Amino acid sequence: MFRELADMNKDNQTDEGTPVSVKIRERLQAANKRFHANDNISEFIEPGELEKLLDEVEAKMQTVLDSMVIDTEHDHNTRATARRVAKMYLNEVFRGRYVAQPAITEFPNAEHLNELMIVGPITVRSACSHHLCPVIGKIWVGVLPNKNTNVIGLSKYARLVDWIMGRPQIQEEAIIQLADLIMEKTRPDGLAVVMEASHFCMSWRGVREMDSKMLNSVMRGAFLTNNELRREFLSLIASRK
């Protein structure tokens, strides 16, 4: 019995000494789930672990500052930078990776609405997964409902955009993720998503081109087959820019 207790204590000590990031990664691997930069992993984070992950990221960010030969001990401007950066990444910029999808209340299309509806521009705040530089822009969403479509509140589109974009992203993949999610939630006859954004990895570094933006779209259902509907949507959002 004493040997069993000793083994249990040893296991507990080993577990306590394991970084929380390793525990989360092991759960993902055991479930055969990927954990790319733009994936949500909240399902594999246990209560209280996000706070421990914050401490771990802070400690590693401090080593980055040390390796960059920044005297954070005596420089009052950078003394708490490691903690601030850790909080920024986990609680703000990349929050969409670590928290569950926001609750979205869906209502039946009681009035059988079937006309084009456009939501936007919705502000995008994201980051490029290549350099972790900001991506700032706008998104427009066009929906062509049918009698079986679920209706969601206008603010919920903004919440979904914020959740999807709150991860290190590539713009081309981000709007596909968003389109898939909105299609799943609303089941419309047609869906269009257009995103226009400035990428700081192009303006802040590299070629340092300040005025260039990226514009791309995803069209589903009726927006692919109905040229007039697609033109109406694109002309309407163009008038709002």
Side-chain angles (χ1 to χ4, degrees):
M1 180 176 179
F2 290 110
R3 181 176 295 176
E4 291 176 356
L5 288 172
D7 290 341
M8 289 176 61
N9 288 333
K10 183 178 180 181
D11 290 342
N12 288 337
Q13 290 172 2
T14 302
D15 186 64
E16 288 175 1
T18 303
V20 68
S21 63
V22 173
K23 297 178 185 178
I24 297 169
R25 185 180 292 107
E26 288 175 347
R27 291 181 204 128
L28 286 156
Q29 292 170 334
N32 198 29
K33 296 287 187 179
R34 76 174 206 178
F35 44 100
H36 292 184
N38 61 351
D39 288 330
N40 179 273
I41 61 171
S42 61
E43 180 184 352
F44 299 90
I45 300 176
E46 296 181 355
E49 286 189 334
L50 198 55
E51 290 76 13
K52 294 179 181 177
L53 190 60
L54 179 61
D55 293 336
E56 183 181 335
V57 173
E58 176 189 1
K60 293 183 177 180
M61 182 53 62
Q62 183 60 52
T63 66
V64 170
L65 295 171
D66 292 341
S67 295
M68 294 174 69
V69 199
I70 297 175
D71 184 1
T72 59
E73 182 179 352
H74 298 99
D75 178 7
H76 63 281
N77 290 318
T78 58
R79 190 169 297 148
T81 292
R83 184 70 177 183
R84 286 192 292 263
V85 172
K87 290 173 68 176
M88 177 187 72
Y89 281 139
L90 294 183
N91 297 340
E92 298 175 298
V93 182
F94 300 157
R95 180 176 172 81
R97 295 198 77 235
Y98 306 107
V99 300
Q101 179 186 306
I104 302 296
T105 304
E106 303 162 11
F107 304 96
N109 186 1
E111 299 299 324
H112 293 177
L113 303 174
N114 62 357
E115 298 292 338
L116 172 61
M117 179 186 73
I118 298 175
V119 182
I122 300 171
T123 300
V124 170
R125 303 174 188 88
S126 191
C128 164
S129 54
H130 291 163
H131 295 93
L132 304 186
C133 289
V135 175
I136 307 295
K138 302 288 184 183
I139 274 183
W140 291 263
V141 178
V143 177
L144 185 68
N146 59 54
K147 65 179 181 180
N148 297 316
T149 295
N150 292 324
V151 178
I152 64 176
L154 294 180
S155 66
K156 304 305 185 290
Y157 288 95
R159 292 182 185 277
L160 293 178
V161 167
D162 186 62
W163 186 65
I164 290 291
M165 297 297 165
R167 311 166 193 182
Q169 282 281 15
I170 299 301
Q171 182 170 332
E172 303 94 311
E173 296 177 359
I175 66 168
I176 292 174
Q177 282 187 317
L178 180 62
D180 289 343
L181 183 58
I182 296 175
M183 285 292 291
E184 175 190 336
K185 289 293 179 185
T186 61
R187 301 197 305 274
D189 277 347
L191 174 71
V193 181
V194 170
M195 178 173 171
E196 181 183 67
S198 298
H199 292 244
F200 281 44
C201 60
M202 190 172 181
S203 61
W204 193 30
R205 55 160 301 280
V207 296
R208 300 189 181 184
E209 173 55 57
M210 300 300 295
D211 297 324
S212 179
K213 294 184 179 182
M214 182 175 180
L215 178 67
N216 64 332
S217 66
V218 172
M219 303 287 172
R220 301 280 172 82
F223 285 94
L224 277 176
T225 59
N226 189 326
N227 292 335
E228 290 186 7
L229 176 66
R230 185 165 62 250
R231 280 195 294 268
E232 180 185 2
F233 168 71
L234 294 174
S235 66
L236 286 171
I237 68 170
S239 67
R240 294 288 309 280
K241 292 184 180 180

